[in-house]
Short mmCIF file of all heavy atoms in Angstrom, two decimals:
data_model
loop_
_atom_site.label_atom_id
_atom_site.label_comp_id
_atom_site.label_asym_id
_atom_site.label_seq_id
_atom_site.Cartn_x
_atom_site.Cartn_y
_atom_site.Cartn_z
N GLN A 1077 -153.35 -174.12 111.09
CA GLN A 1077 -153.52 -172.82 110.35
C GLN A 1077 -152.86 -171.76 111.27
O GLN A 1077 -152.74 -171.80 112.52
CB GLN A 1077 -155.06 -172.48 110.25
CG GLN A 1077 -155.75 -173.41 109.23
CD GLN A 1077 -157.27 -173.00 109.02
OE1 GLN A 1077 -157.88 -172.54 109.93
NE2 GLN A 1077 -157.68 -173.13 107.79
N LEU A 1078 -152.45 -170.65 110.63
CA LEU A 1078 -151.85 -169.55 111.30
C LEU A 1078 -152.71 -168.33 111.20
O LEU A 1078 -153.06 -167.95 110.16
CB LEU A 1078 -150.42 -169.30 110.61
CG LEU A 1078 -149.50 -170.49 110.49
CD1 LEU A 1078 -148.25 -170.04 109.80
CD2 LEU A 1078 -149.19 -171.06 111.79
N LEU A 1079 -153.02 -167.80 112.39
CA LEU A 1079 -153.79 -166.60 112.44
C LEU A 1079 -152.85 -165.38 112.37
O LEU A 1079 -152.00 -165.21 113.18
CB LEU A 1079 -154.64 -166.56 113.75
CG LEU A 1079 -155.55 -165.32 113.98
CD1 LEU A 1079 -156.58 -165.30 112.86
CD2 LEU A 1079 -156.19 -165.39 115.28
N ILE A 1080 -153.02 -164.53 111.35
CA ILE A 1080 -152.12 -163.45 111.06
C ILE A 1080 -152.55 -162.17 111.79
O ILE A 1080 -153.83 -161.86 111.76
CB ILE A 1080 -152.05 -163.16 109.58
CG1 ILE A 1080 -151.55 -164.45 108.83
CG2 ILE A 1080 -150.96 -162.11 109.27
CD1 ILE A 1080 -150.27 -165.01 109.28
N LYS A 1081 -151.71 -161.38 112.37
CA LYS A 1081 -152.03 -160.17 113.02
C LYS A 1081 -152.58 -159.18 112.00
O LYS A 1081 -152.32 -159.25 110.82
CB LYS A 1081 -150.86 -159.61 113.69
CG LYS A 1081 -150.29 -160.39 114.86
CD LYS A 1081 -149.05 -159.68 115.47
CE LYS A 1081 -148.53 -160.45 116.67
NZ LYS A 1081 -147.32 -159.82 117.21
N HIS A 1082 -153.34 -158.18 112.51
CA HIS A 1082 -153.88 -157.05 111.69
C HIS A 1082 -154.93 -157.49 110.70
O HIS A 1082 -156.07 -156.96 110.64
CB HIS A 1082 -152.71 -156.30 110.99
CG HIS A 1082 -151.67 -155.92 111.85
ND1 HIS A 1082 -151.72 -154.90 112.85
CD2 HIS A 1082 -150.30 -156.39 111.97
CE1 HIS A 1082 -150.63 -154.79 113.46
NE2 HIS A 1082 -149.75 -155.68 113.02
N SER A 1083 -154.57 -158.51 109.88
CA SER A 1083 -155.57 -159.01 108.86
C SER A 1083 -156.54 -159.96 109.39
O SER A 1083 -157.63 -160.10 108.86
CB SER A 1083 -154.83 -159.60 107.67
OG SER A 1083 -154.19 -160.85 108.05
N HIS A 1084 -156.16 -160.73 110.43
CA HIS A 1084 -156.98 -161.71 110.97
C HIS A 1084 -157.36 -162.86 109.99
O HIS A 1084 -158.39 -163.47 110.08
CB HIS A 1084 -158.31 -161.20 111.59
CG HIS A 1084 -158.03 -160.18 112.70
ND1 HIS A 1084 -157.45 -160.54 113.89
CD2 HIS A 1084 -158.19 -158.87 112.82
CE1 HIS A 1084 -157.33 -159.49 114.71
NE2 HIS A 1084 -157.73 -158.39 114.02
N GLU A 1085 -156.50 -162.90 109.00
CA GLU A 1085 -156.62 -164.05 108.02
C GLU A 1085 -155.95 -165.28 108.58
O GLU A 1085 -155.01 -165.22 109.33
CB GLU A 1085 -155.96 -163.65 106.67
CG GLU A 1085 -156.65 -162.56 105.90
CD GLU A 1085 -157.92 -162.97 105.29
OE1 GLU A 1085 -158.17 -164.15 105.15
OE2 GLU A 1085 -158.78 -161.99 104.95
N THR A 1086 -156.48 -166.45 108.17
CA THR A 1086 -155.87 -167.72 108.56
C THR A 1086 -155.11 -168.32 107.36
O THR A 1086 -155.72 -168.43 106.22
CB THR A 1086 -156.90 -168.69 109.09
OG1 THR A 1086 -157.91 -168.90 108.17
CG2 THR A 1086 -157.45 -168.25 110.38
N ILE A 1087 -153.84 -168.64 107.54
CA ILE A 1087 -153.07 -169.24 106.45
C ILE A 1087 -152.87 -170.74 106.71
O ILE A 1087 -152.52 -171.09 107.90
CB ILE A 1087 -151.60 -168.54 106.43
CG1 ILE A 1087 -151.81 -166.99 106.30
CG2 ILE A 1087 -150.79 -169.09 105.31
CD1 ILE A 1087 -152.55 -166.49 105.09
N PRO A 1088 -153.11 -171.59 105.70
CA PRO A 1088 -153.01 -173.03 105.96
C PRO A 1088 -151.51 -173.38 106.03
O PRO A 1088 -150.68 -172.84 105.39
CB PRO A 1088 -153.72 -173.63 104.72
CG PRO A 1088 -153.55 -172.60 103.63
CD PRO A 1088 -153.61 -171.22 104.38
N VAL A 1089 -151.28 -174.51 106.76
CA VAL A 1089 -149.94 -175.17 106.79
C VAL A 1089 -150.11 -176.48 106.19
O VAL A 1089 -150.89 -177.29 106.68
CB VAL A 1089 -149.47 -175.23 108.24
CG1 VAL A 1089 -148.03 -175.90 108.25
CG2 VAL A 1089 -149.38 -173.83 108.92
N SER A 1090 -149.35 -176.76 105.14
CA SER A 1090 -149.42 -178.05 104.49
C SER A 1090 -148.70 -179.07 105.37
O SER A 1090 -147.74 -178.73 106.12
CB SER A 1090 -148.83 -177.95 103.10
OG SER A 1090 -147.53 -177.67 103.19
#
Side-chain angles (χ1 to χ4, degrees):
Q1077 292 182 325
L1078 306 177
L1079 181 63
I1080 306 299
K1081 293 180 180 179
H1082 309 291
S1083 68
H1084 300 294
E1085 294 285 342
T1086 54
I1087 305 300
V1089 179
S1090 62

